[in-house]
Amino acid sequence: MPMLNVSAFDAYYGKSGKLISLKEVDSTNTYAVKHELPPFTCVVAEKQTAGRGRSGRQWHSNTDQNLYFSIVIDGLDASMLLPLNIFAGYLLSDTLKDIVDAKVKWPNDMVVNGKKLAGILMETTFSGGTLEKVVLGIGLNVNCESFDDEIKDIATSLYIETGQKFEREKILASFVLNLENSFEEFRSKRIEVEKLWSTYSAYLDKKISIHKDGVKTIYTEKGIDTTGCLLALDESGSLQTIITGDIGYDFCR
């Protein structure tokens, strides 16, 4: 199994010491949470044996053709967690803009042509009610050519969308740089994620389905608020603020 090339990452990133490359790990998020690592350290693995998605769902991560990585974030207030999740989607869209038109599916997926290209999962540690550490985990389908039957109808990759193979090191370094260079502006709230939603949303003003606790409800997406919560019209025309749940893939076509 070929390892991600640390030297190539360092060359694209412009300096060394920010990348920990692992052949196999239970979860890059778990590794980053458990270890004392400097801010913006990136942990990447070729294979995760216990990769997780939102709400504890399994993240399929068994190929060295994709990117599975986690970045340590420091100096963030707990109120900024959901906005960071949204902002990471914006940055990933910008990182990939010359390859595909990837958009954000609230709250934590990136989609291309209605199919999932990437997922974002944050994990946190608290001490006495104080936020200690934030780990931003991302799984991005890069060069894989096919998916298991279970997910083939809702998943895609950069290769599937373009017919081209890409340097994972270059994509990863570009994303880490984008995050590091814009983080202070985000943390100080000079970047207002709600005002950028119209640019990055996959389903603004479109019919969506919200899945929560096994129940599906139909809405029309209208935006997000300053906290990153979804704003949507229900079928009676009333504007609702949706704090938890997921936009389903049954309307994402």
Side-chain angles (χ1 to χ4, degrees):
M1 179 184 295
M3 295 281 287
L4 191 135
N5 189 321
V6 176
S7 296
F9 172 90
D10 290 346
Y12 286 121
Y13 179 70
K15 49 188 171 182
S16 61
K18 286 291 186 180
L19 186 68
I20 297 173
S21 181
L22 306 171
K23 182 176 181 180
E24 182 176 308
V25 70
D26 52 356
S27 161
T28 57
N29 267 20
T30 299
Y31 184 99
V33 167
K34 288 182 177 179
H35 292 77
E36 292 297 323
L37 302 172
F40 300 109
T41 299
C42 181
V43 181
V44 63
E46 297 299 337
K47 180 178 180 180
Q48 294 184 114
T49 57
R52 299 181 302 281
R54 185 172 164 84
S55 301
R57 291 188 288 266
Q58 180 183 5
W59 175 265
H60 295 256
S61 49
N62 56 1
T63 169
D64 57 4
Q65 299 298 301
N66 299 325
L67 279 170
Y68 316 112
F69 63 95
S70 298
I71 300 174
V72 177
I73 305 294
D74 196 14
L76 196 67
D77 184 82
S79 66
M80 297 290 286
L81 291 176
L82 182 52
L84 175 63
N85 192 90
I86 301 290
F87 185 57
Y90 296 171
L91 291 179
L92 188 55
S93 176
D94 288 344
T95 300
L96 301 174
K97 65 183 179 181
D98 292 332
I99 301 174
V100 292
D101 185 22
K103 299 293 187 180
V104 180
K105 182 177 79 66
W106 188 89
N108 68 327
D109 282 358
M110 301 298 298
V111 298
V112 176
N113 296 322
K115 293 188 175 184
K116 182 171 181 175
L117 177 72
I120 301 169
L121 178 68
M122 282 192 305
E123 297 198 36
T124 58
T125 59
F126 286 82
S127 176
T130 301
L131 182 62
E132 280 193 324
K133 179 187 280 190
V134 178
V135 172
L136 180 68
I138 294 178
L140 171 65
N141 299 324
V142 182
N143 292 324
C144 58
E145 300 179 11
S146 62
F147 294 93
D148 294 341
D149 289 344
E150 176 184 354
I151 59 172
K152 67 179 183 181
D153 292 332
I154 63 169
T156 191
S157 70
L158 297 180
Y159 174 80
I160 290 172
E161 294 298 322
T162 67
Q164 301 177 49
K165 294 295 179 81
F166 297 91
E167 286 184 80
R168 294 179 300 153
E169 295 85 356
K170 185 175 183 179
I171 292 172
L172 183 58
S174 295
F175 179 81
V176 176
L177 274 172
N178 284 344
L179 177 62
E180 191 168 355
N181 290 339
S182 60
F183 180 74
E184 181 54 34
E185 192 176 5
F186 166 78
R187 190 188 65 80
S188 62
K189 300 184 180 180
R190 285 175 286 160
I191 294 176
E192 299 172 286
V193 293
E194 74 279 6
K195 293 183 178 179
L196 297 173
W197 186 253
S198 60
T199 300
Y200 293 96
S201 170
Y203 303 110
L204 185 66
D205 294 325
K206 296 180 180 180
K207 288 283 187 181
I208 57 172
S209 59
I210 294 292
H211 294 253
K212 181 181 177 182
D213 300 328
V215 177
K216 180 176 78 170
T217 308
I218 306 303
Y219 295 93
T220 300
E221 183 189 299
K222 300 307 292 183
I224 61 173
D225 65 15
T226 58
T227 68
C229 293
L230 188 70
L231 303 176
L233 292 175
D234 63 22
E235 292 188 290
S236 70
S238 177
L239 186 65
Q240 304 293 327
T241 299
I242 299 169
I243 301 172
T244 60
D246 297 274
I247 293 179
Y249 281 91
D250 40 2
F251 269 95
C252 300
R253 292 291 184 271

